[in-house]
Amino acid sequence: PPHSTALPSHFMKGAIIQLATGELKRVEDLQTQDFLRSAEVSGGLKIDSSTVVDIQENQWPGFVTLHFIVGEQQSKVCLDVPPEHPFFVYGQGWSSCNPRQTAQLFALPCHRLQVGDVCISISLQSVV
Amino acid sequence: NVEPRSVAVFPWHSLVPFLAPSQPD
């Protein structure tokens, strides 16, 4: 079964996030550009576009299974997460399967994550 | 005297999932 640990507190509204540029921002103030710029200067990491193609109830209570198509290679990746887990959607910001629960737990304003949303994810930069 | 409180700072990459595409053959 997936780990049923609580989500880390970096999703809590007001949490201080350090960008790769050294700049500090609150988690709720982050924008798409912050992630893109951070990946640019971090070296070794790259941002992928991960499109949500399916959201399913999980066999384990309290979890949902998200299906993504990731990056240029269009790889299929599944992720088991609690419904309150926030993902950063391009041009939209924080989004979760259950925004109400996210607000209760983290006070983080969220949109509802939907099939077709394009999330920000990271992977290792391939060395050519 | 008030003890200074330390504030946790989290790295940006801890906020987004690491979704590694499987390597092509």
Side-chain angles (χ1 to χ4, degrees), chain A residues 20-41:
Chain A
T21 55
E23 189 184 350
L24 299 177
K25 276 197 162 189
R26 293 185 195 281
V27 64
E28 66 271 21
D29 296 332
L30 290 172
Q31 296 182 340
T32 305
Q33 274 304 110
D34 294 322
F35 292 99
L36 300 182
R37 206 176 310 124
S38 281
E40 262 176 39
V41 303

Side-chain angles (χ1 to χ4, degrees), chain A residues 32-55:
Chain A
T32 305
Q33 274 304 110
D34 294 322
F35 292 99
L36 300 182
R37 206 176 310 124
S38 281
E40 262 176 39
V41 303
S42 66
L45 290 177
K46 75 174 168 115
I47 297 283
D48 282 318
S49 301
S50 297
T51 305
V52 179
V53 290
D54 199 12
I55 301 174

Side-chain angles (χ1 to χ4, degrees), chain A residues 10 16-18 30 73 75 122, chain B residues 10 12 14-15 17 19 21-22:
Chain A
H10 53 226
I16 307 292
I17 307 300
Q18 183 164 39
L30 290 172
Q73 296 177 5
S75 312
I122 49 174
Chain B
F10 301 95
W12 70 275
S14 64
L15 294 169
L19 299 181
S22 52

Side-chain angles (χ1 to χ4, degrees), chain A residues 23-116:
Chain A
E23 189 184 350
L24 299 177
K25 276 197 162 189
R26 293 185 195 281
V27 64
E28 66 271 21
D29 296 332
L30 290 172
Q31 296 182 340
T32 305
Q33 274 304 110
D34 294 322
F35 292 99
L36 300 182
R37 206 176 310 124
S38 281
E40 262 176 39
V41 303
S42 66
L45 290 177
K46 75 174 168 115
I47 297 283
D48 282 318
S49 301
S50 297
T51 305
V52 179
V53 290
D54 199 12
I55 301 174
Q56 292 178 333
E57 291 283 322
N58 192 287
Q59 57 170 319
W60 307 100
F63 284 89
V64 291
T65 303
L66 300 176
H67 298 255
F68 293 97
I69 296 289
V70 180
E72 292 171 356
Q73 296 177 5
Q74 302 277 287
S75 312
K76 292 178 184 172
V77 177
C78 294
L79 207 56
D80 296 321
V81 293
E84 66 271 18
H85 192 297
F87 291 87
F88 201 93
V89 173
Y90 275 88
Q92 174 172 285
W94 293 113
S95 309
S96 77
C97 294
N98 190 334
R100 204 161 62 101
Q101 215 166 315
T102 309
Q104 282 174 355
L105 286 170
F106 305 119
L108 182 69
C110 264
H111 297 266
R112 180 175 294 280
L113 188 67
Q114 291 175 321
V115 169

